Amino acid sequence: MFTGLILEKGKILRIKYMGQTIKLTCQASRQLLEDYQIGDSMAINGVCLTAVEKANQQFTVDIMPETFQRTTFSRLKINDEVNLERALPYNGRLEGHLVAGHVDGVTRLREKIVQENALVLTFDLPKEFQGEIISQGSIAINGVSLTVTQVVATNFSISLIPHSRKQTNLGELMRGEYVNFETDMLGKYVKAQLSISKSIEWKELN
């Protein structure tokens, strides 16, 4: 489990493709990896992955076909910056929101506007996720815990403060670029229960 509070930006060092399987090596600081061990979790751009190798300032993870198909990892390039977050310890502070690291899919940046000290990013809203993204609700974009500022039929917006622009890779996004997103898990459960209730009601009426 994660909080969506990014600890630092890492850099992609190596990418080894084997069909839709990837062995990915990422650079990180000694401080972040000080007690990080093989088998530990790390969220890379919001995706929970397990370390299979570790050196002083780098670690390697395996990416399976399901993750390849569902995330932006198929688009990664050497030297790309990625957001990194260690898993939340049970005695740790929850200062963002509960992020599982199980990415729902990818979405495209359609607009980027500066409003005083805020950078407003607007993304496409895939039809199948309508109802899971609400105004003033939580969402994780590339692993960053954010508050949704506006939702309309086909898109949603978030705002970045200067700290978030500097600490994450979201401030450098270009129009048309794709990101990973994970909707709020509480919203998913509510949506699922409503769907089940409607299905039961329909069966009873028929």
Side-chain angles (χ1 to χ4, degrees):
M1 193 65 68
F2 303 89
T3 66
L5 298 184
I6 303 305
L7 299 175
E8 67 181 49
K9 289 183 286 187
K11 184 179 291 187
I12 300 301
L13 297 178
R14 291 187 296 276
I15 305 173
K16 183 178 180 181
Y17 290 98
M18 297 161 283
Q20 292 189 344
T21 298
I22 304 175
K23 189 173 286 291
L24 187 74
T25 300
C26 182
Q27 183 183 52
S29 69
R30 284 190 175 89
Q31 182 179 2
L32 185 68
L33 300 180
E34 183 177 6
D35 61 346
Y36 186 63
Q37 304 296 327
I38 292 174
D40 287 353
S41 296
M42 181 80 76
I44 303 178
N45 275 356
V47 183
C48 178
L49 296 165
T50 302
V52 296
E53 298 174 21
K54 180 204 169 187
N56 287 335
Q57 286 186 266
Q58 59 184 258
F59 65 99
T60 300
V61 298
D62 284 331
I63 296 171
M64 60 185 176
E66 169 71 12
T67 307
F68 180 94
Q69 295 164 16
R70 193 180 286 268
T71 71
T72 59
F73 285 133
S74 61
R75 298 178 170 89
L76 277 182
K77 305 181 295 299
I78 301 296
N79 292 324
D80 276 357
E81 288 189 329
V82 289
N83 298 325
L84 300 178
E85 182 189 355
R86 294 282 303 272
L88 174 70
Y90 281 107
N91 63 345
R93 288 186 175 186
L94 182 59
E95 296 184 5
H97 74 281
L98 287 175
V99 178
H102 304 157
V103 167
D104 292 302
V106 300
T107 186
R108 179 180 62 93
L109 178 65
R110 62 189 301 172
E111 193 171 44
K112 182 177 181 179
I113 299 174
V114 175
Q115 289 184 350
E116 297 186 9
N117 73 332
L119 180 65
V120 180
L121 303 179
T122 300
F123 299 92
D124 290 331
L125 173 55
K127 183 180 293 186
E128 62 268 31
F129 295 101
Q130 290 179 353
E132 293 182 30
I133 300 175
I134 61 171
S135 181
Q136 302 307 308
S138 297
I139 192 168
I141 302 291
N142 273 359
V144 184
S145 175
L146 296 161
T147 300
V148 179
T149 57
Q150 184 178 18
V151 182
V152 295
T154 59
N155 61 77
F156 67 94
S157 300
I158 59 92
S159 294
L160 297 177
I161 61 173
H163 174 79
S164 298
R165 293 173 64 174
K166 181 179 179 181
Q167 189 73 11
T168 74
N169 60 15
L170 298 184
E172 303 302 319
L173 288 175
M174 305 298 291
R175 289 183 182 87
E177 197 167 347
Y178 286 86
V179 295
N180 299 320
F181 75 93
E182 178 187 334
T183 63
D184 185 16
M185 64 177 67
L186 294 178
K188 293 175 187 173
Y189 284 119
V190 171
K191 185 178 178 180
Q193 290 301 313
L194 288 174
S195 178
I196 292 170
S197 298
K198 288 180 181 179
S199 178
I200 292 173
E201 290 175 3
W202 187 87
K203 289 178 180 178
E204 289 177 348
L205 290 172
N206 291 272

